[in-house]
Amino acid sequence: MVRVIALHSVIPLRAEPSETSEMLTQMLFAETAEVLEDARRWTRIRLHQDGQEGWADTKMLTPMSDEEWMDYKRNETIALQANKNFIPRVALPVTYAVSENNGQTIPLAAGTRLLSYSSGVFSLLGVRFRIDPQAVLVAPLAITLDSLMQTTRFFLNIPYLWGGKNAMGMDCSGFTQTICSLFGINLPRNASEQYDLSQRISKRDTQFSTVNPVYSLEHAMPGDLAFFDHPAVLDEDTPQSSTEIERVPLPTTTIEQPHVTHVGILLDRKRIIHCSGRVKVEHIDHHGILSMETADAAHPDGRYTHHLVHLSRAV
C-alpha cells in the first residue's frame, strides 16, 4: 500500500485528473492519504482523515516510506493519548509555521493537525517547525455561545469556494467541518454526509463523532448543526417575515429523506453562522434562513434563502 502526505499548505482534490476539473475538497498540510490510482501526472487518493477521494497533482504529494508511516501513526497515537483524544490543531483561519531546517515559512489553514506539538514547536518527518502558540489549540473548546462567537469571528467574510476549506475560500460543509474540529467534533466532509451521520445512514461513521437528531429549534443549543435544502422552497402563502411565522417543530420522522445541500452552525435559537456567498451570521427560524441581504421594500425583513429540514447535535 502506497501512502502520501501533504507538505504544502493546501492541495486541491479534483473529480477528474485535470486542472480544469471540479475541486471536490482540499488536503491540508500534514494530512495523509492512501494512493488508489497512479496516472503519472495525476494520482487518485483517499484521505485518511475523512475518507474523501479525488485526483491530486502528483508533484504536490510526498510519498511516505513504511518507516515514516509507522512513525507518523506512533506520533498520532501519542498525541491522542496526551490530549484526551484530541490532536493539537491550528485555530486561526491562517497562521505561519517556520522550518528550523531552512527558515522557510509555510501558511497553515485552520484545522491543520500538528503532531508532536509542544510549546510552539512541532515536528513532521524529522523536520521541526516553530509556530505561534496562541494560534494552536491543544485541547478541544467547550461549546458555548461565547466560545463559538470568539472562534468564528475570525472566519467572518471568508468567501465561498466550492470544495474549499481554508481562509481564501470555504464551502458550507468545509466551514462546519473545520469549526467543529476545533471543538473536538469530527465530521465527514460534505453536507449530505454530515446529515447522514445523524440519520445513521453512513456506513463510515465509526471514525466520526456521534451525532443525534434535535427535533425543534425550541430544543436547540449553541453548536447544533442545521441542515437545509437550497434554495428555500416555500408556499406562496408562507409569511416572509419572522414576526409573522407560527412556530412549527421539525418532523420527528420522515418518509422520504430530504435533499440536503447546505449546512450551518447555530449560535442560538435565532442566529446561524454559515457560508453562503461568504461566512456570515443570519437569522433562522423554523422555516429556514431569513437573509437581510435580500430585503427590499416589499420584504423589509428579508427573504428565505434556505429551507430548514433537520437539526442535529454532536455528543
Side-chain angles (χ1 to χ4, degrees):
M1 181 183 298
V2 179
R3 303 176 185 90
V4 292
I5 189 169
L7 298 183
H8 295 276
S9 307
V10 175
I11 299 177
L13 266 61
R14 303 190 180 276
E16 302 293 338
S18 168
E19 291 177 349
T20 60
S21 179
E22 170 192 8
M23 184 171 69
L24 302 175
T25 188
Q26 294 173 327
M27 184 182 188
L28 301 184
F29 179 82
E31 271 197 81
T32 60
E34 173 186 344
V35 172
L36 302 177
E37 185 177 351
D38 187 357
R40 294 188 179 180
R41 183 183 172 188
W42 293 90
T43 302
R44 189 165 69 91
I45 61 175
R46 179 187 297 120
L47 300 180
H48 289 129
Q49 189 167 338
D50 60 18
Q52 290 297 295
E53 298 180 7
W55 290 91
D57 189 329
T58 300
K59 67 177 178 290
M60 299 187 74
L61 300 171
T62 300
M64 300 181 76
S65 67
D66 290 343
E67 182 180 356
E68 288 172 332
W69 173 247
M70 291 176 64
D71 186 58
Y72 180 94
K73 294 301 292 182
R74 182 167 50 250
N75 288 333
E76 183 180 56
T77 299
I78 293 172
L80 287 170
Q81 293 174 343
N83 298 288
K84 297 182 179 179
N85 210 36
F86 180 86
I87 292 179
R89 61 189 67 215
V90 175
L92 297 178
V94 64
T95 190
Y96 290 87
V98 181
S99 169
E100 292 188 350
N101 276 15
N102 53 24
Q104 290 188 352
T105 59
I106 299 177
L108 300 183
T112 299
R113 305 193 315 165
L114 306 177
L115 302 182
S116 305
Y117 174 82
S118 179
S119 303
V121 176
F122 69 93
S123 299
L124 187 65
L125 301 184
V127 178
R128 283 167 52 93
F129 295 86
R130 288 179 283 109
I131 188 172
D132 183 354
Q134 295 186 356
V136 179
L137 277 179
V138 296
L141 296 168
I143 301 179
T144 65
L145 174 59
D146 183 64
S147 63
L148 277 169
M149 295 293 290
Q150 290 298 318
T151 302
T152 58
R153 66 191 177 98
F154 295 106
F155 293 79
L156 289 172
N157 296 314
I158 289 178
Y160 182 91
L161 175 65
W162 179 270
K165 51 186 292 186
N166 71 88
M168 295 299 101
M170 290 182 159
D171 60 22
C172 64
S173 55
F175 173 71
T176 55
Q177 186 188 50
T178 297
I179 295 300
C180 286
S181 73
L182 305 181
F183 292 85
I185 301 168
N186 298 317
L187 295 179
R189 176 61 178 87
N190 300 319
S192 59
E193 294 174 325
Q194 293 174 11
Y195 166 77
D196 288 350
L197 190 62
S198 69
Q199 299 298 301
R200 297 300 184 265
I201 296 172
S202 174
K203 295 181 181 179
R204 296 181 297 150
D205 60 6
T206 54
Q207 71 188 98
F208 302 117
S209 298
T210 299
V211 178
N212 292 331
V214 175
Y215 296 115
S216 169
L217 275 173
E218 296 299 317
H219 302 95
M221 297 176 61
D224 285 352
L225 297 173
F227 296 93
F228 309 84
D229 53 25
H230 177 79
V233 179
L234 301 175
D235 296 333
E236 288 297 325
D237 59 354
T238 299
Q240 290 292 311
S241 168
S242 60
T243 60
E244 305 173 37
I245 291 174
E246 178 184 358
R247 295 180 180 271
V248 181
L250 294 171
T252 57
T253 61
T254 180
I255 298 175
E256 182 179 351
Q257 295 296 329
H259 181 57
V260 169
T261 59
H262 189 66
V263 62
I265 302 173
L266 293 182
L267 296 176
D268 52 38
R269 296 171 185 172
K270 294 184 178 181
R271 292 180 299 165
I272 185 171
I273 185 165
H274 66 130
C275 189
S276 179
R278 59 187 173 88
V279 176
K280 55 190 174 183
V281 176
E282 294 191 296
H283 182 84
I284 185 174
D285 58 33
H286 289 287
H287 283 293
I289 296 176
L290 190 63
S291 177
M292 282 299 296
E293 293 180 353
T294 62
D296 54 28
H299 303 92
D301 291 333
R303 294 176 180 267
Y304 288 98
T305 57
H306 300 79
H307 175 224
L308 179 64
V309 295
H310 185 72
L311 299 168
S312 64
R313 178 179 305 151
V315 295

